[in-house]
Amino acid sequence: QAAWCELPSRVLLVLTSQRGVQMYESDGSTMVFWHALDVPELPAAHSVFARGIAAAGGRFICVGTSSGAVLVFDVPPKGSNVTLSEVLEQHRDPITDIAAEQGQAPDGAGDLVTADDSGTLCLWSTGEEFTLLGKIPGSGCTCSSVALWNGIVAAGYGNGQIRLWEAGSGRIRAQVSAHARWIYALDLAPLTGKLLSGAEDSFVHVWQLSRNPDTADIEIRHCHAECVTDTQVCGARFCDPAGDSF
């Protein structure tokens, strides 16, 4: 997996693989940091890998691993003195995706969410030390993709569903049977709250997330569907923060 991590002071290109985590300057010119994964002496039944990347808390980059641990790297404003500051160990299954708050989190809501192969979600508050605020148990279906916006957790699942959760309380607020097959990608436009979903069923959908001003309920509305004929969509991204194109 690859992602640009935007921190206030710098942008890093982060790559994850079966060997470890690499961080480069944003143009790929210089490798800033390399973290090797612990490979067991005996070949295990499961492969070792890193997956799930997010910049969080202004100075941290979080990376998930196949053991369920989330590595928290403290990134200096410049230079290569990146350090592993913390390891979050709340998941029992391989991490699938990590998302940081893209808008304004309400009071008491976490600003980081981690997801795993069993569908379990963990909500965190970032800072000098990361605090676990809540855990949403999985229902046995992989949560392949997560996004976090204005205290709303949007999660895409292997059964084609999108579920919306309250980041403060962990309560489910909406559930949509969005796709006929495995959802591979979610992306969120932070300026508008548009949500993009891409799946194995060859469809890309655009949704509008919002909060009802009277009741504060979370609402989701379908905006657009695009079919890429006979193609399993494995990734999808908006091209701009307003979500005008993807």
Side-chain angles (χ1 to χ4, degrees):
Q1 201 175 21
W4 275 291
C5 286
E6 293 189 31
L7 298 167
S9 55
R10 67 198 296 192
V11 178
L12 291 179
L13 174 63
V14 181
L15 308 181
T16 63
S17 67
Q18 291 184 319
R19 295 190 177 275
V21 182
Q22 293 165 293
M23 297 186 189
Y24 289 86
E25 294 295 353
S26 58
D27 58 357
S29 59
T30 313
M31 190 195 286
V32 175
F33 181 72
W34 155 250
H35 177 86
L37 289 175
D38 294 330
V39 179
E41 301 260 327
L42 297 166
H46 304 285
S47 62
V48 175
F49 57 85
R51 181 175 62 193
I53 307 165
R59 49 178 256 232
F60 301 104
I61 290 178
C62 302
V63 178
T65 66
S66 52
S67 68
V70 177
L71 311 176
V72 179
F73 296 101
D74 195 339
V75 180
K78 56 184 185 197
S80 59
N81 191 26
V82 178
T83 54
L84 177 62
S85 66
E86 204 173 345
V87 179
L88 310 178
E89 296 181 318
Q90 284 290 335
H91 290 276
R92 299 273 172 271
D93 296 274
I95 302 295
T96 49
D97 199 18
I98 302 176
E101 175 63 70
Q102 295 277 355
Q104 194 65 44
D107 289 344
D111 55 358
L112 186 78
V113 59
T114 53
D116 71 23
D117 259 348
S118 73
T120 299
L121 304 178
C122 288
L123 298 161
W124 305 87
S125 173
T126 63
E128 288 298 326
E129 289 189 348
F130 282 52
T131 310
L132 179 70
L133 296 181
K135 198 183 241 190
I136 299 168
S139 52
C141 187
T142 296
C143 175
S144 50
S145 217
V146 283
L148 183 56
W149 178 76
N150 286 2
I152 302 169
V153 178
Y157 292 85
N159 60 3
Q161 285 186 343
I162 294 173
R163 294 177 197 157
L164 303 183
W165 310 82
E166 196 79 63
S169 63
R171 284 202 294 265
I172 190 163
R173 291 301 194 189
Q175 181 168 297
V176 183
S177 295
H179 292 272
R181 301 281 295 277
W182 187 289
I183 294 177
Y184 266 124
L186 288 182
D187 193 31
L188 212 144
L191 291 183
T192 55
K194 284 181 185 168
L195 182 71
L196 182 69
S197 61
E200 271 189 353
D201 62 1
S202 79
F203 275 89
V204 179
H205 290 290
V206 179
W207 313 83
Q208 179 67 56
L209 305 185
S210 60
R211 279 187 187 272
N212 185 311
D214 300 324
T215 62
D217 281 348
I218 296 169
E219 298 177 348
I220 181 168
R221 178 171 56 85
H222 185 256
C223 302
H224 182 75
E226 198 76 42
C227 179
V228 191
T229 309
D230 296 337
T231 303
Q232 292 185 344
V233 178
C234 294
R237 276 280 186 270
F238 284 119
C239 302
D240 55 280
D244 291 330
S245 57
F246 61 82

